[in-house]
Amino acid sequence: MDSAEERFAVAVIGMDGRFPGASSIEAYWDNLCAGRESITRFRDDQLDHSISEALRADRAYVPARGVLEDALAFDAGFFGITPREAELMDPQQRVFLELCWSTLERAGYDPARVDGSVGVYAGMANNTYYPTSVLAHPEKVQRFGEFQTMLANEKDFLATRVSHKLDLHGPSISLYTGCSTSLVAVAQAFHALLSYQTDMALAGGICVTMPQNTGYLHRPEGIESADGHCRPFDAGATGTVFSNGAGVVLLKRLDDALRDGDSIHAVLVGAALNNDGADKVGFAAPSVAGQAEVIADALAQGDVDPASVGFIEAHGTATALGDPVEVEGLRQAFRYPQSGQGFCALGSVKGNFGHLLAAAGVTGLIKAVLAVKHGVVPPTVNFDTPNPGIELERSPFFINVEPVPFPDRGGPRRAGVSSFGIGGTNAHVVIEQAPETAPARTNDHPELLLVSGRSEMTLSKSVSRLADCLEANPDLPLDSVAFTLQVGRRAFPHRSFVVVENTASAPRALRKPDPNRAGTAHQAGESPRVLFLFPGMGSQYDGMGAACYANDATYRSVYDQCARHLANSGLAELQREMPRSDSLPRRAEACANAPAPPRLGLGGVDTEVLTLFVSSYALARTWIEWGVRPSALLGHSLGDLVAACVAEVLRPEDALTYLVRMAEVAEAAPEGRMLAVRLERARLEAYVEGMETVCVAADNSPTLSLASGARAEIETLVARLASDGVPHRQLPGRRAFHSPAFDAASDELWDVAAGLKLGRPRIPWYSSITGRLIDTHTASDPSYWARHPRSTVRFRQAVAAALKGGATLALESGPGSTLGVCVRQVAGREGPTVVHTLPDEATTLPSEWSSVLSAAGHCWLAGCDIDWTKLHATTPRRACLPTYPFERVTHGLPTRPAIERKNPALEV
């Protein structure tokens, strides 16, 4: 027998369900392992008013059923459904719609970002809400429209409604084969995947019989239990109990699931369908031959030896005829006695809560998947003594009444699931344990966790549920958690994020309110207008951008291309730094030994202008690659050159040639200093009046200017400012840019400026030299670039002009936060959101990367549609995380007045 990887196989990558006594898969599994029975027995005052007094008084009336909690509650607004439509819609349609959404989320997929088609294969039980409730209110039907009401209730539209509301484009097929409906849906999805009709498939079924608080009349010749208990395979069995529930699985070809890092719960290796034909005593009766054949076919499809199967989740309805027929069909399919005796556990979830009709098959499948995954076979409830017609002692099967380890058959754990419908359509699915994959890597570097909701309440609930989940599962790989939240969840308007270094620290960070990391994004389709800001000299620090170089392929590629151009053209030397001791763990094997970025030097002298330019430009290209595209550009001093390159006015190679020449000119210029001063330009001019070498080099904001000049006079200015208590800060560097020290620079830069290949701006670019939107003539004028190092920087005027262009987000693409502060001061309270990427000074690599991730989080808060896959060098596995907390509201119509209804639950 080959392993699943070597055969055609389908992975179960997502599951969800709502069952009697269990509103989640986790609660369902707990109930199964605990052997809990979840059938409700109603007191007389709990029964629905539509049950007549005569029916209640009948001694054969059994007031029992497995009920679905909040079956009438629905988050209609989430799916764009009006309250009027919701109250007229069959609850089965509503519940199933929510389950399909949450199943995709549990698998780590946002339906809007699925790469490929998603099919839907589903069926539901007969609609009892329409005759008992909707038709009792003809005036509502009339107002909404008879045709629209029909669409909201017909079972034929179950699958297509899901496809429409979730915008899925694979095959969408509603089907009904009685009790086998949902397992038939799974089999159809299985074969559609293997024949490449779709890339993923939702499959399942639902049964919600309304009103729920009802029972049934037991008839000795019928198939319903005499006492409201379902006892599969037991000698005391008298029939089944028809109950409510729903289940959905998300399926994907195994090789695709392994490639995409999906969580694989189990693998389907065979799925067969057939019909009994006329070989039985009646239309509603089972057939040994039909059941044996479908089981054998499924085993053969998967090339599975029956002796390797450790568990069968049977149809197991606890009827006098059905159980013996089923076990005999299994014996024949398993080729007893050749296969052996008593090696395979036999169970039926119907003992826990009865028969879920159209949802029965997928419910059994989910149980079997969990059993294979966890290596535990839950007990069969209400089993005491074997039905004498079964002869368990002469079969491969045993029935456990306590949880037992999954039988070891010397290979991957395997199970079969059967579901048989009245009318003879039989289904059997063979599953096996998911293939082993390499253990997920535990990372201790920062990750960005995103949470959103359609309202503040759902956002708060989502944050709380995520914190609880991570607290209960501290071993979840943080990169998997981050990746799933980034790409596997829809981004709703109300948003929050945290940057954390490990899973253990995440719950506390999530629960700590921080208004700086929460906000409301713009409406869908209204992406922010992003103004890229590029800092100038004085913002740089040692090792800036090293975290980006270590972690992002785009940044590293752009940086290295610039470095190679400098080296190959003989313009500069490359001095390779040693990796820093606090080096951040790399995300890709290829980067495991990646060195720190090369320092760019000229003639053995550090050239800060080169490193600042290359770092800022590489960061801009990184943001663009991530999906944050600028609507406008604005650079401060040297940052003007970065803006010109991003606007495609200037090629990066030409910019580097210009910068090298400017560095040579600067090296020859008199030594000087630059001083940031907390004064408005006019007030600073008063301080420098009379000085020969010092001038106001930059007008940055209403409260911040820049002085530049010879060292001695700058020291004199410092003393004056200090005596008056004026805040100031000396910028790093030994040259006085934008001062008389560069008077001769224009002539010396003319030749290189004249040789630049200059084009027209392809993105609006606001010049900090002219203080306004630059035109093609100015951008292509060599004199603009020749005068640049001497010209006064009019950043405040350029900001004001850029804001008139409608920028709603200002993103500082480079080190520091000074430009963002200036934008806030110029714009006032109504200004754009300001985000800075790198810190103001040297720090550890993890802290620098945390700053980058935080910037990405703030861009997301502002409404940017970021391609999160670009933040991950390799694709992490998707994690199963809490799903969206629907804001459910009860939408239900009262039932008809009490009438004589003999058996309202009989739908098989």
Side-chain angles (χ1 to χ4, degrees):
M1 293 175 293
D2 296 327
S3 64
E5 300 106 305
E6 297 167 335
R7 292 171 287 162
F8 287 118
V10 168
V12 180
I13 64 170
M15 304 183 292
D16 203 7
R18 292 171 61 183
F19 311 100
S23 59
S24 68
I25 292 291
E26 289 74 21
Y28 172 55
W29 180 243
D30 287 345
N31 286 349
L32 292 179
C33 291
R36 294 189 184 98
E37 185 184 58
S38 302
I39 294 175
T40 302
R41 285 157 186 81
F42 305 107
R43 300 189 308 270
D44 189 71
D45 62 333
Q46 293 176 318
L47 287 168
D48 190 80
H49 70 88
S50 64
I51 307 303
S52 68
E53 291 299 326
L55 200 57
R56 295 169 190 240
D58 195 315
R59 297 180 63 182
Y61 189 73
V62 182
R65 169 172 294 176
V67 301
L68 199 63
E69 185 179 359
D70 294 330
L72 290 172
F74 179 51
D75 191 345
F78 184 89
F79 297 101
I81 294 173
T82 66
R84 175 179 290 181
E85 182 180 6
E87 71 174 358
L88 291 169
M89 184 182 291
D90 186 352
Q92 297 181 108
Q93 301 262 5
R94 310 181 213 160
V95 172
F96 195 76
L97 194 52
E98 287 187 352
L99 281 177
C100 287
W101 178 275
S102 59
T103 298
L104 283 162
E105 282 199 327
R106 286 176 69 94
Y109 283 95
D110 169 10
R113 289 186 282 184
V114 170
D115 184 16
S117 61
V118 181
V120 183
Y121 298 81
M124 70 181 200
N126 291 338
N127 184 344
T128 56
Y129 182 70
Y130 182 76
T132 61
S133 297
V134 175
L135 290 182
H137 301 274
E139 73 289 351
K140 291 181 178 290
V141 174
Q142 200 68 32
R143 282 200 300 269
F144 186 63
E146 292 183 359
F147 180 72
Q148 294 299 324
T149 303
M150 180 275 293
L151 293 178
N153 285 274
E154 278 289 350
K155 65 173 63 173
D156 296 343
F157 303 111
L158 179 68
T160 48
R161 185 178 306 282
V162 171
S163 296
H164 171 64
K165 290 299 183 182
L166 273 56
D167 193 24
L168 308 178
H169 297 274
S172 191
I173 299 174
S174 300
L175 54 90
Y176 187 75
T177 60
C179 307
S180 59
T181 293
S182 56
L183 201 62
V184 170
V186 169
Q188 296 279 51
F190 173 87
H191 290 292
L193 284 162
L194 294 186
S195 58
Y196 288 82
Q197 297 176 45
T198 187
D199 298 304
M200 291 198 291
L202 290 162
I206 184 167
C207 172
V208 182
T209 301
M210 300 299 291
Q212 288 203 95
N213 291 14
T214 59
Y216 56 89
L217 275 175
H218 169 70
R219 291 187 176 87
E221 72 281 5
I223 61 174
E224 291 172 292
S225 169
D227 58 4
H229 295 281
C230 186
R231 299 179 172 85
F233 312 115
D234 191 77
T238 59
T240 197
V241 177
F242 292 109
S243 298
N244 292 338
V248 181
V249 294
L250 181 63
L251 307 178
K252 190 175 186 178
R253 286 182 292 274
L254 177 60
D255 54 351
D256 292 347
L258 290 169
R259 177 200 64 202
D260 295 339
D262 294 321
S263 293
I264 302 175
H265 303 289
V267 178
L268 277 62
V269 296
L273 301 173
N274 72 1
N275 192 274
D276 296 332
D279 184 24
K280 51 186 180 180
V281 298
F283 178 75
S287 163
V288 170
Q291 294 181 15
E293 181 182 354
V294 79
I295 296 166
D297 284 351
L299 290 166
Q301 279 183 24
D303 192 23
V304 170
D305 183 347
S308 69
V309 178
F311 172 55
I312 291 290
E313 172 61 18
H315 189 58
T317 55
T319 56
L321 179 60
D323 286 2
V325 166
E326 181 170 8
V327 174
E328 180 56 30
L330 280 164
R331 285 205 320 167
Q332 292 184 17
F334 270 58
R335 302 192 298 270
Y336 179 82
Q338 296 96 315
S339 58
Q341 182 173 320
F343 63 83
C344 181
L346 181 67
S348 172
V349 72
K350 294 178 179 65
N352 294 83
F353 43 61
H355 194 334
L356 300 190
L357 299 163
V362 73
T363 300
L365 174 66
I366 292 172
K367 173 186 171 181
V369 166
L370 292 170
V372 163
K373 178 179 179 178
H374 296 297
V376 174
V377 179
T380 294
V381 176
N382 294 326
F383 179 80
D384 183 27
T385 304
N387 184 320
I390 289 179
E391 296 186 295
L392 278 177
E393 69 281 0
R394 294 181 58 250
S395 79
F397 310 108
F398 68 91
I399 298 174
N400 54 297
V401 295
E402 297 291 338
V404 297
F406 202 98
D408 184 0
R409 305 304 296 162
R413 294 189 285 267
R414 287 174 171 156
V417 183
S418 293
S419 193
F420 310 127
I422 284 183
T425 296
N426 305 311
H428 189 81
V429 170
V430 180
I431 66 173
E432 73 178 38
Q433 187 179 358
E436 289 188 10
T437 54
R441 177 173 53 84
T442 301
N443 57 313
D444 290 319
H445 53 71
E447 293 287 358
L448 172 63
L449 309 185
L450 310 176
V451 191
S452 70
R454 295 181 72 246
S455 66
E456 289 186 8
M457 180 180 296
T458 53
L459 172 60
S460 177
K461 286 182 178 178
S462 292
V463 169
S464 178
R465 288 167 62 169
L466 178 61
D468 291 345
C469 172
L470 299 184
E471 190 170 59
N473 301 277
D475 294 331
L476 274 175
L478 187 61
D479 58 345
S480 292
V481 174
F483 183 75
T484 303
L485 293 171
Q486 291 162 6
V487 307
R489 294 292 185 271
R490 181 70 53 85
F492 296 107
H494 295 270
R495 303 180 180 186
S496 178
F497 75 88
V498 294
V499 177
V500 294
E501 292 191 6
N502 51 62
T503 306
S505 66
R508 182 178 180 181
L510 286 163
R511 292 181 179 126
K512 184 178 180 181
D514 184 353
N516 293 322
R517 55 176 174 82
T520 304
H522 295 272
Q523 295 298 315
E526 296 182 8
S527 297
R529 293 181 56 80
V530 185
L531 171 66
F532 273 25
L533 303 173
F534 303 106
M537 290 300 295
S539 61
Q540 70 273 13
Y541 57 82
D542 183 42
M544 59 186 168
C548 298
Y549 189 89
N551 285 280
D552 188 80
T554 298
Y555 185 98
R556 189 165 50 252
S557 174
V558 173
Y559 197 106
D560 286 348
Q561 285 174 14
C562 291
R564 282 194 298 271
H565 171 74
L566 288 169
N568 294 338
S569 60
L571 294 173
E573 300 172 355
L574 302 187
Q575 301 163 355
R576 180 69 70 178
E577 286 184 327
M578 294 297 291
R580 291 164 55 167
S581 59
D582 59 2
S583 181
L584 185 67
R586 269 60 172 186
R587 294 169 180 238
E589 192 65 32
C591 301
N593 300 308
R599 297 185 67 179
L600 310 175
L602 176 64
V605 179
D606 251 9
T607 310
E608 295 171 328
V609 292
L610 290 176
T611 305
L612 179 59
F613 168 83
V614 173
S615 180
S616 296
Y617 179 66
L619 195 55
R621 301 310 310 176
T622 299
W623 279 116
I624 293 170
E625 181 69 14
W626 288 357
V628 181
R629 303 186 181 278
S631 300
L633 309 165
L634 170 58
H636 185 285
S637 181
L638 172 67
D640 227 18
L641 213 62
V642 183
C645 289
V646 176
E648 298 184 28
V649 169
L650 193 59
R651 298 186 307 168
E653 308 92 275
D654 289 340
L656 289 168
T657 301
Y658 171 87
L659 282 169
V660 168
R661 180 61 183 140
M662 190 179 77
E664 292 172 339
V665 170
E667 192 69 20
E671 186 175 338
R673 295 289 186 271
M674 302 178 74
L675 194 70
V677 185
R678 288 281 186 88
L679 287 176
E680 193 267 340
R681 175 180 179 173
R683 294 185 61 192
L684 181 58
E685 285 176 340
Y687 275 92
V688 304
E689 187 176 355
M691 292 185 171
E692 291 184 9
T693 66
V694 178
C695 69
V696 176
D699 179 7
N700 289 336
S701 79
T703 62
L704 184 63
S705 300
L706 191 68
S708 182
R711 177 177 179 177
E713 285 199 311
I714 286 291
E715 289 177 351
T716 300
L717 176 59
V718 167
R720 291 180 185 177
L721 295 170
S723 66
D724 290 347
V726 177
H728 57 276
R729 178 176 66 89
Q730 185 170 299
L731 302 183
R734 298 178 295 107
R735 299 291 175 254
F737 287 93
H738 306 292
S739 78
F742 278 79
D743 280 341
S746 296
D747 292 339
E748 296 183 43
L749 286 174
W750 178 259
D751 288 344
V752 68
L756 297 175
K757 296 179 180 179
L758 301 168
R760 62 180 182 84
R762 296 186 180 276
I763 301 173
W765 161 32
Y766 293 86
S767 167
S768 63
I769 300 301
T770 66
R772 59 181 181 269
L773 182 67
I774 204 163
D775 55 32
T776 301
H777 173 74
T778 304
S780 59
D781 183 357
S783 65
Y784 176 85
W785 298 106
R787 294 194 307 267
H788 202 281
R790 174 60 182 92
S791 301
T792 301
V793 176
R794 295 174 173 82
F795 189 72
R796 175 165 53 156
Q797 294 88 336
V799 169
L803 294 180
K804 288 181 181 179
T808 58
L809 172 66
L811 176 62
E812 204 155 352
S813 178
S817 57
T818 302
L819 300 190
V821 171
C822 294
V823 169
R824 287 193 182 99
Q825 292 176 353
V826 172
R829 293 183 178 180
E830 302 303 319
T833 300
V834 175
V835 177
H836 70 271
T837 306
L838 298 178
D840 290 293
E841 58 187 15
T843 183
T844 63
L845 268 72
S847 294
E848 190 182 61
W849 188 244
S850 291
S851 179
V852 175
L853 293 179
S854 181
H858 282 292
C859 289
W860 178 73
L861 286 185
C864 291
D865 186 12
I866 294 176
D867 183 352
W868 299 107
T869 62
K870 299 297 175 59
L871 272 71
H872 300 267
T874 57
T875 302
R877 295 184 194 172
R878 296 175 193 254
C880 185
L881 300 174
T883 58
Y884 188 82
F886 291 114
E887 291 186 282
R888 295 185 175 114
V889 175
T890 298
H891 297 282
L893 296 172
T895 54
R896 291 177 180 272
I899 56 174
E900 293 291 339
R901 288 192 288 125
K902 296 298 183 182
N903 202 340
L906 184 56
E907 308 128 20
V908 292

